[in-house]
């Protein structure tokens, strides 16, 4: 049992070490997606995952035409699901693990984890932190540097720490460009 966990951990570490250090040309990007699939990432067609990213576990599911920019981190203590056409800016963190607040002897108490869902079409800017249990609604925008700890409704823009809705007037329709991509 313990040996199995160690072998799995080494396998994830080796895939991360190779995949995250490949360059960002189209062939290497495809190879990187293939390597992540070897550690059970489920992905749709044409994923782009740039270098420097780290996937800490097995529970990443991404849809069609997802774009993940450089040096993002996926803590996969619980699943992270990115819908079709989701774009993620560089250095964004997906944090699924949390702790109960413990006693004064050790405030980081019992571990708990909750999944993150980013619905189709959403755009997350660079250097965001997405917290455990959050759902980001379809077509929404998370501005650069935001810390998202509550669900984001569809087709709004949120910004800040903690993230607050700043714009509720985003177009909810599908553009000609969006239809052409289907
Ligand atoms: C969100 C973004 C797209 C701008 O959207 P927008 O609808 O044009 O927003 P506006 O410029 O009209 O700003 C609306 C409000 O949000 C605030 N805001 C916008 N971006 C913000 C940010 N990153 N952090 C904090 N507040 C922000 C503005 O200050 C303004 O606030 P106010 O109404 O209180 O004055 C842009 O700011 C952004 O963050 N882009 C991401 C860039 C990035 O990460 N690039 C990496 C490549 S993926």
């Amino acid at each position: 049992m313990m040996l199995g966990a160690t072998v799995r951990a080494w396998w994830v570490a080796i895939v991360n070490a190779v995949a995250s250090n490949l360059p960002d040309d189209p062939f290497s990007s495809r190879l990187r997606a293939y390597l992540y699939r070897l550690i059970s990432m489920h992905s749709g067609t044409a994923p782009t995952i740039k270098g420097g990213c780290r996937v800490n576990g097995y529970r990443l599911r991404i849809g069609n035409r997802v774009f993940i920019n450089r040096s993002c981190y996926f803590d996969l203590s619980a699943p992270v699901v990115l819908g079709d056409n989701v774009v993620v800016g560089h250095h964004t963190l997906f944090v699924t693990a949390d702790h109960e607040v413990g006693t004064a002897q050790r405030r980081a108490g019992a571990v708990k984890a909750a999944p993150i869902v980013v619905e189709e079409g959403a755009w997350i800017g660079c250097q965001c932190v997405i917290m455990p249990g959050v759902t980001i609604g379809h077509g929404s925008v998370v501005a650069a540097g935001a810390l998202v700890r509550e669900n984001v409704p569809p087709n709004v823009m949120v910004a800040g720490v903690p993230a607050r809705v700043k714009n509720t007037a985003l177009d909810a329709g599908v553009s000609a460009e969006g239809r052409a991509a289907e």
Side-chain angles (χ1 to χ4, degrees):
M1 184 72 169
M2 218 173 83
L3 181 64
T6 302
V7 169
R8 274 202 305 279
W10 272 81
W11 183 225
V12 170
I14 290 165
V15 166
N16 270 305
V18 175
S20 70
N21 285 301
L22 291 173
D24 284 333
D25 62 283
F27 171 77
S28 304
S29 288
R30 277 206 297 279
L31 179 58
R32 185 168 20 249
Y34 173 77
L35 289 169
Y36 286 129
R37 283 189 191 111
L38 293 180
I39 50 171
S40 301
M41 177 187 81
H42 294 266
S43 86
T45 57
T48 301
I49 304 172
K50 296 286 188 176
C53 292
R54 284 194 70 80
V55 173
N56 186 30
Y58 295 83
R59 293 184 274 189
L60 176 60
R61 303 184 74 89
I62 67 176
N64 297 315
R65 298 173 300 278
V66 165
F67 182 100
I68 301 169
N69 213 332
R70 291 190 64 82
S71 300
C72 291
Y73 179 74
F74 294 85
D75 156 43
L76 298 170
S77 304
V80 174
V81 180
L82 309 182
D84 293 348
N85 297 312
V86 164
V87 172
V88 182
H90 54 86
H91 293 89
T92 283
L93 311 182
F94 292 83
V95 182
T96 53
D98 204 348
H99 296 269
E100 305 286 355
V101 176
T103 63
Q105 278 72 38
R106 188 180 173 92
R107 287 294 182 211
V111 175
K112 53 185 183 173
I116 292 170
V117 177
V118 183
E119 294 179 349
E120 64 181 64
W123 170 28
I124 300 174
C126 63
Q127 288 215 311
C128 293
V129 179
I130 315 299
M131 298 286 278
V134 160
T135 294
I136 295 172
H138 61 83
S140 280
V141 177
V142 177
L147 184 147
V148 184
R149 57 186 301 272
E150 289 174 359
N151 291 346
V152 175
N155 298 311
V156 300
M157 190 275 271
V158 297
V161 179
R164 300 274 183 243
V165 175
K166 290 281 188 177
N167 183 355
T168 56
L170 295 187
D171 173 18
V174 178
S175 67
E177 192 186 33
R179 280 193 297 273
E182 295 303 321

